[in-house]
Amino acid sequence: MTDPFGFLKIPREPVPARPVEERLGDWQEVHAGQALLPLVSRQADRCMDCGIPFCHTGCPLGNLIPEWNAYAAHADWRAAYERLHATDNFPEATGRLCPAPCEDACVLTINAEPVTIKNVEQAIVDEGLRRGWMRPCPPERHSGKAVAVIGSGPAGLAAAQQLTRAGHAVTVHERADRIGGLLRYGIPEFKMEKAHLDRRIEQMRAEGTVFVTGHDVGGTSGPAAATGAAAETDAAALRGACDAVVVATGAGERRELPVPGRELHGIHQAMEYLTCANRVREGDWAESPITAEGRHVVIVGGGDTGSDCMGTALRQGAVSVVQLDINPEPGPGRTDDEPWPVYPRTYRISHAHDEARGREGRDPRLFACATLRFEGDASGRVRALHLTAVEPVGRRPLAGTERVIPAGLVLLALGFSGPERAGGLCEQLGLEYDERGNYARDAGFAARGGRAPGVFVAGDAGRGQSLVVWAIAEGRAAAAAVDRYLTGSTCLPAPVAAHDRPMTALGRMRYGDR
């Protein structure tokens, strides 16, 4: 166990990021080259080894956090590595990308600072990689059953790895030219270097998973497929050729901003911009066709995608960057309707916000404001954005608060409203939509309304846009449902049900009846 008095003696000390000036000059991860282990072992010793570890509840994967904290505290990295992988297929991704709701659920958070769980997780998996512990785990026997997974984001990859290890013949179909989904083209290199993704894909190949790229199942020729010509495959025919199908296409239907001037040049969806930047990093292009260099950049949307756009724009040489958030500025602490251990909306600073603040001396965000219209120049390119302050609840414009800010590049980071409607995937498989615009499914991930049994929906395609940790948890749980469908029983873990939601003040994580 950890030091019983560690949380009393040791203050919280997160792993420091590299200096702003240094990391803005490259695309390496913000913690690249940091000495993690001595600091992380000491921080892991702050874990209270709670009788009821609420960090498990905060994490949909049910990660065994107190256990690998104890191993990390004693520098038993091999044991920590094994316990971490017992519940998480891709801890190198969650340790870098997850906002760590487990930390907000840490018992220490009641009256102190939580354990740096995310730092410990990343240190464990990175040390395992450094020591060569990531090895293929092929199945001991093969079931003779074939499964097709449509989509290669974290949910699809997690489902594929679990089903391959259970002995099924799994083929992952991806319409882009590389495997990884948003992990590949939506996440900037400075948040997760793609070498981590490539290494995991090679492990899965060695285990027996087959990957097919440039394969547009259902002919879903939406914006995310803008990667060259993709071979279209009828989804119904694919279903007929295998024993089960997992639909893990993500929530790619992007929200729009229908205001005057939207048609001007220089206004782009955030994912279009991030994909172009990532393609430059992959070596496909010498320079991005959408660049922030020399421009005043305005990001509309206050979430993580907007923050990713900010970090990218700063590295491309933007003159200035402003992020607009329609929500009021959060306070520093929990409100009464967000008590411990729920994940609260509090004032947080991302690495990109820290970079902008370090360069410009202020928080780059404008809270409680909305876009009224765009203004263009004589060539039809955006040159300014008109905004207004809004009421905190009704979000109605406040009279007399209109202002104009310069804008040479506008990025719309307004989130997603479910799976893409373009193409024939939904019709060919006979899928239905639920009230939130996602693919409808039962509590066991089976698609509702499918023309044939054996179609399952995992990840954001059924949940709506969410966190990488929820996507992996859904992929693991959907794999257990598929395995049970194919064989009559399963030993695969199912950490969540399809209708589970994050814990709130009014309900537990599992509802049972929705």
Side-chain angles (χ1 to χ4, degrees), residues 195-215:
H196 299 292
L197 178 60
D198 293 336
R199 190 162 31 230
R200 189 64 73 173
I201 292 168
E202 287 308 308
Q203 180 199 39
M204 293 177 65
R205 279 200 177 98
E207 291 170 349
T209 302
V210 175
F211 295 100
V212 180
T213 57
H215 209 215

Side-chain angles (χ1 to χ4, degrees), residues 36 40 106 123 134 146 170 184 232 270 289 301 336-337 346 358 368 380 404 447 480 493-494:
L36 301 178
V40 163
C106 175
M134 180 190 285
V170 180
R184 174 73 63 184
E232 295 186 2
D336 290 341
D337 59 349
T346 57
V404 182

